[in-house]
């Protein structure tokens, strides 16, 4: 071939300087008989010659020290010059000639054009996703896409990354790999070591329909298999609901890049056992070929044949990255951590931080509390470690007794006074309100939603951040939520009173006294689903459809079945009230139940399998509370004057009723302010539809990986698809990477270690008690209630987190074990309401416990013991 | 009148101003159910408004100023934070 273009078979591992990291790796594999799709490499030297011809010295010098908007403008100008300048004739001729040889005159053949930077091999540098890759490229657009690949060297993100890592801009060039696109039926990634646990005895394989980009970019939840290195025995198999796929061919350049998977295939298994074995074997061969270094392998299956698309070392293995490079001391904001268990998408984070959160900061997509700032206004003499332990709500006592710090007192009093002055009116307005005082918020949401003059930012401001001076308090959902935090001091008062007067009460005394408020809307939601299940149980055709079919298909069948008309009407009535709820409801990307009611149908199906009666269950809990109150009165009765005046009991009752009221306010205000997220999401989806129609966006949900200013620029035509495609891909990959990492509890400081009496045993998992009681049963690990809908009655729910959308699962569970959360978190609150044992803050429980394991949950002590099925460690 | 007494009256003025504002808002907050909730609304208005007026009247001329300053200071603070709330919002960064 021409000196600027090499066939893949001519390249070897040592040719990084010429073929870039990806080109060298693919060439090495192709030359050694691995089934790599045919292709060629446009060498980095061609890129260097092209850049030299453009005389970029002045522009490059201008990048030094540029930041923010200035850097973005300079990069944009540089990229535009590269993308719009024609390639020199001989180089263009050589590339087109190599392309013609590659496709051999087939009109329907298209290519993937992949960046391969010469900096990819530099130590400690990971450019994953920063440089562009283009699919479906035909001969007419090949040269343009190669120029775009080269231009991606100068994206603001890539430039900033190189500057941070001390890599000279002038020393980095880019080769481009052009390969024939594989018409993959199934594709995916394989890791020859578990990238999350670091276990090198496991191969993790993820697969989905169509092209693998859908998995790499996090567009679908793939099927997941864990295979043992030795003997390739299948250890774990999780079939996900794959609603979308990236097709391996498109009609034209304006076509959608993501399409719906047919119903019948959505829950279908993508890999048969023999195919799984082939993938595992080739992945291990890659690892062996690269000297036993664990590999991250991208693969595809087309016409029954295996194709290897990429193999590179697993960069994240054993590397905890969240918080690296962050200065200061931070602790996970556990009070609401269950709302941010997955990193937020860039758009959600951008919109949520329109108003600064004092003392709080998103790090790696998770919300952390600034320990140094909080430490300045907490008027206590505490070490940083003790303060972190306290703020993390671990339930552990500080290492030394709490003492007021006189030095900090003035600042604390001033902060308290200002906060009280700012919120005092809201505090007073929310006192003693009727249950339905926030009903007007629904109307406000509908009004904002239907006003075309309001964009998502306006909607967010109107509904969430900036209420009008003469709004009723019911229209200020988030402020009501803030005001409801007064349940904490009332609970503290109650705890103190009980400890003083009746010290020998059960450990969950306060929780029990504070539970059982009427009019809690999330509890109504659980009852609503239960009622629907009761109707389905009595209606044979409806029951038949729900039990026999997967939720999506069941919904279609129910709508087509005349006998199910009444049930469908009632389901729609339920959705009209609760349809704004979703799993991970703080994330704007999360589809709401009204868009996809499958999770509701899944929960109804769960209830159909349960014989117990919700009303009887609630009656039992109420009875237990009444008996407990009588017990307290009896115990108080022995104290002086109590029988005649009952002053102590009145105080206990007052504190309990206030705490109960504010706890209800907390749940109900959340019910409403989540409605605002639904309204804002609808506006965003409207803009997305508009942008997809004009071809500025190609894939569903890509909009959530843009920032608001970029969306504005797309709408005005200042940016186009080619400008944002790389950014979206990079952010999607970063999002997937962050989602796989467990956020550290603290950054810049170590949390005091828990006592290690029993936790040393491999089969003991230690957490925090959230609801007392002991229970022994079979574990069911549920990572996403939208995917894993089946929880058999009596099983122990093991979950990464819970939010109100998980509530109905609690009704069928025997106990719950949750990875994150605190006593105050949703899991604990609901478990106490239902009287079931619950342990929260159990690190790694979803990995160490596997579905089918027999476990014992001790909610009182906050420990979980794996009884059978191995430790899973 | 000691300085401490003046400060106390000023703070009392602020507190009662806050409660009176909140009581006035109750008309708006409970308007949707005013047919049944009016006793609570009237109780609040008369209670907090009446207490504020009564204290202002009962205080001597020398003591009244600190109390009225507290009332006014809170009103200005409250309206001020409403007016200035946009200043706290982050502006989205420009795009290339």
């Amino acid at each position: 071939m021409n000196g600027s273009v090499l066939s893949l078979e001519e390249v070897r591992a040592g040719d990084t300087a010429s073929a870039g990291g990806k080109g060298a790796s693919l060439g090495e594999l192709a030359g050694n008989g691995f089934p790599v799709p045919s292709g060629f490499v446009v060498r980095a030297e061609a890129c260097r010659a092209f850049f030299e011809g453009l005389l970029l010295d002045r522009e490059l010098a201008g990048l030094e020290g540029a930041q923010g908007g200035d850097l973005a403008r300079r990069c944009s100008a540089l990229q535009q010059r590269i993308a719009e300048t024609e390639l020199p004739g001989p180089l263009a001729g050589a590339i087109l000639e190599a392309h013609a040889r590659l496709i051999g005159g087939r009109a329907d053949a298209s290519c993937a054009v992949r960046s391969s930077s010469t900096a990819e091999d530099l130590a400690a540098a990971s450019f994953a996703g920063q440089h562009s890759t283009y699919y479906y490229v035909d001969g007419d657009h090949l040269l343009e896409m190669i120029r775009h690949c080269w231009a991606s060297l100068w994206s603001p993100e890539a430039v900033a990354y190189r500057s941070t890592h001390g890599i000279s801009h002038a020393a980095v060039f880019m080769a481009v790999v052009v390969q024939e696109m594989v018409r993959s039926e199934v594709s995916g990634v394989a890791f020859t070591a578990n990238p999350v646990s670091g276990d090198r005895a496991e191969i993790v394989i993820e697969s989905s329909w169509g092209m693998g980009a859908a998995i790499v970019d996090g567009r679908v939840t793939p099927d997941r298999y864990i295979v043992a290195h030795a003997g390739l025995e299948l250890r774990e198999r999780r079939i996900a609901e794959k609603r979308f796929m990236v097709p391996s061919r498109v009609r034209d350049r304006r076509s959608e890049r993501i399409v719906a998977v047919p119903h019948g295939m959505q829950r279908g298994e993508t890999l048969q056992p023999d195919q799984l074995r082939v993938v595992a074997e080739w992945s291990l061969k890659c690892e062996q070929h690269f000297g036993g270094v664990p590999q991250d392998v991208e693969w595809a299956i087309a016409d029954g044949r295996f194709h290897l698309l990429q193999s590179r070392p697993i960069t994240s293995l054993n590397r905890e990255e969240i918080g690296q490079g962050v200065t200061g001391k931070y602790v996970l904001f556990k009070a609401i951590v269950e709302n941010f268990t997955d990193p937020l998408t860039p758009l959600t984070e951008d919109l949520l931080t329109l108003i600064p959160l004092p003392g709080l900061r998103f790090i790696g997509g998770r919300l952390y509390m600034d320990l140094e700032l909080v430490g300045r206004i907490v008027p206590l003499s505490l070490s940083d470690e003790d303060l972190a332990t306290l703020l993390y709500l671990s339930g552990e006592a500080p290492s030394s007794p709490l003492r007021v710090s006189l030095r900090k007192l003035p600042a604390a009093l001033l902060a308290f006074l200002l906060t009280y002055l700012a919120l005092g009116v809201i505090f007073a307005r929310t006192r003693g309100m009727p249950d339905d005082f926030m009903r007007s918020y629904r109307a406000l949401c509908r009004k904002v939603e239907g006003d075309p003059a309001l964009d998502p930012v306006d909607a967010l401001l109107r509904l969430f951040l900036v209420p009008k001076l003469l709004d009723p308090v019911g229209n200020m959902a988030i402020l009501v939520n803030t005001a409801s935090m007064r349940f904490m001091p009332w609970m503290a008062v109650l705890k103190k009173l009980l400890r003083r007067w009746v010290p020998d009460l059960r450990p969950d005394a306060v929780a029990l006294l504070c539970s059982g408020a009427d009019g809690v809307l999330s509890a109504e939601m659980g009852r609503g689903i239960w009622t629907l299940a009761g109707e389905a149980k009595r209606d044979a055709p409806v029951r038949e459809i729900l039990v026999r079919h997967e939720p999506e298909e069941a919904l279609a069948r129910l709508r087509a079945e005349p006998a199910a008309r009444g049930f469908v009407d009632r389901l729609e009535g339920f959705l009209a009230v609760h349809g704004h709820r979703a799993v991970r409801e703080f994330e704007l990307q999360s589809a709401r139940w009204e868009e996809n009611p499958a999770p509701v149908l899944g929960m109804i199906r769960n209830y159909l399998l349960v014989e117990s009666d919700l009303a009887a269950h609630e009656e039992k809990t109420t009875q237990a509370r009444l008996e407990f109150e009588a017990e307290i009165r009896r115990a108080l009765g022995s104290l002086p004057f109590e029988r005649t005046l009952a002053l102590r009991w009145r105080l206990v009752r007052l504190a309990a009723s206030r705490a109960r009221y504010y706890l209800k306010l907390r749940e109900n205000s959340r019910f409403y302010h989540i409605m605002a997220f639904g309204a804002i999401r609808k506006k965003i989806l409207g803009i997305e539809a508009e942008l997809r129609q004009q071809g500025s966006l190609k894939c569903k949900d890509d909009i959530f990986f843009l920032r608001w200013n970029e969306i504005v620029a797309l709408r005005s035509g200042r940016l186009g698809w080619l400008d944002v495609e790389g950014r979206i891909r990079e952010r999607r990959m970063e999002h997937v990477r962050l989602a796989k990492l467990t956020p550290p509890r603290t950054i810049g400081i170590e949390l005091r270690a828990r006592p290690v009496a029993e936790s040393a045993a491999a089969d003991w998992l230690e957490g925090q008690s959230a609801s007392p009681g002991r229970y022994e049963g079979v574990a069911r690990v549920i990572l996403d209630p939208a995917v894993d809908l089946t929880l058999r009655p009596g099983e122990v729910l093991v979950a990464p987190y819970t939010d109100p959308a998980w509530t109905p699962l609690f009704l069928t569970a025997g106990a719950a074990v949750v990875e994150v959360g605190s006593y105050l978190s949703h899991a604990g609150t609901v478990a106490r309401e239902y009287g079931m044992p619950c342990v929260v803050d159990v690190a790694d429980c979803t990995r160490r416990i596997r579905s089918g394991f027999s476990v014992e949950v001790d909610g009182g002590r906050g420990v979980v013991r794996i009884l059978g099925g191995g430790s899973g460690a | 009148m000691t300085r401490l007494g003046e400060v106390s009256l000023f703070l009392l003025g602020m507190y009662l101003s806050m409660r009176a504002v909140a009581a006035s808002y109750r008309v708006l907050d409970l308007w949707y159910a005013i047919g049944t909730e009016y006793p609570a609304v009237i109780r609040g208005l008369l209670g907090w408004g009446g207490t504020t007026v009564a204290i202002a009247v009962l205080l001597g001329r020398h003591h009244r100023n600190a109390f009225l300053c507290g009332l006014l200071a809170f009103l200005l603070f409250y309206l001020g934070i409403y007016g200035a709330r946009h200043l706290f919002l982050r502006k989205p960064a420009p795009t290339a």
Side-chain angles (χ1 to χ4, degrees), chain A residues 748-827:
Chain A
I749 186 173
E750 287 296 316
L751 205 60
R752 272 194 296 112
R754 287 181 171 134
V756 283
E758 286 160 328
S759 59
D763 291 346
W764 281 86
L765 283 80
E766 222 176 78
Q768 193 185 336
S769 163
S771 177
R774 261 171 187 268
Y775 186 80
E776 202 178 304
V778 175
R780 169 73 54 185
V781 181
I782 294 192
L783 300 177
D784 182 346
V787 176
D788 311 296
L789 291 164
T790 316
L791 179 75
R792 293 194 191 93
E795 283 184 329
V796 174
L797 170 67
V798 181
Y801 69 99
T802 64
D803 63 16
W806 291 67
T807 305
L809 284 179
F810 278 61
L811 282 168
T812 48
V817 180
V818 185
E819 205 158 274
V820 297
S822 66
Y823 184 81
L824 299 175
S825 65
H826 192 78

Side-chain angles (χ1 to χ4, degrees), chain A residues 607-676:
Chain A
Y607 288 180
L608 287 176
L609 306 171
V610 185
E611 287 308 321
S612 70
D613 177 6
L614 178 65
H617 187 75
E618 288 187 334
E619 178 63 30
K620 204 173 121 192
T621 314
T622 309
Q623 195 56 39
R625 191 171 41 251
L626 291 175
E627 282 169 13
F628 183 60
E629 285 178 1
E631 185 189 328
I632 293 175
R633 283 203 78 169
R634 270 197 304 279
L636 288 173
S638 62
L639 298 171
F641 305 111
E642 184 61 21
R643 279 184 196 283
T644 46
L645 298 174
L647 272 179
R648 293 178 187 82
W649 170 242
R650 280 171 213 259
L651 274 175
V652 166
R653 216 173 44 180
L654 172 77
S657 74
R658 284 288 160 90
R660 221 166 19 230
Y661 172 75
Y662 289 120
L663 278 166
K664 177 170 73 177
L665 210 56
R666 179 176 175 239
E667 282 294 313
N668 289 358
S669 58
R670 174 168 173 153
F671 175 90
Y672 283 107
H673 73 63
I674 286 301
M675 224 173 253

Side-chain angles (χ1 to χ4, degrees), chain A residues 255-267:
Chain A
S255 296
E256 291 278 331
R257 299 296 200 258
I258 195 156
V259 295
V261 172
H263 267 317
M265 288 168 68
Q266 287 185 3
R267 284 180 185 270

Side-chain angles (χ1 to χ4, degrees), chain A residues 72 350 353-354 356 420-422 424-425 428-429 431 433-434 436-437 461 466-467 469-470 472-473 709-710 719, chain B residues 14-15 18-19 22 25-26 28-30 32 37 74 77-79 81-82 85-86 88-90 93-96:
Chain A
D350 197 28
T353 53
L354 276 179
Y420 185 68
L421 285 176
V425 171
R429 289 171 73 184
R431 197 169 291 158
M433 292 297 277
D436 60 350
F437 78 99
L461 296 180
V466 192
L469 187 60
L470 294 181
V473 73
N709 53 2
E710 292 165 335
L719 289 181
Chain B
M14 285 189 103
Y15 176 73
M18 177 194 296
R19 297 309 303 254
Y25 266 125
R26 283 248 154 173
L28 281 173
D29 297 339
L30 290 169
Y32 78 100
E37 297 292 337
F74 178 76
F77 175 81
Y78 186 71
L79 293 172
I81 55 169
Y82 252 101
R85 63 215 155 134
H86 282 281
F88 295 106
L89 300 177
R90 177 177 64 79
T95 310

Side-chain angles (χ1 to χ4, degrees), chain A residues 523-542:
Chain A
E524 301 289 341
M525 178 180 81
R527 285 187 203 108
I529 295 178
W530 192 273
T531 308
L532 283 169
E535 285 175 23
K537 214 175 231 177
R538 288 189 293 275
D539 196 333
V542 173

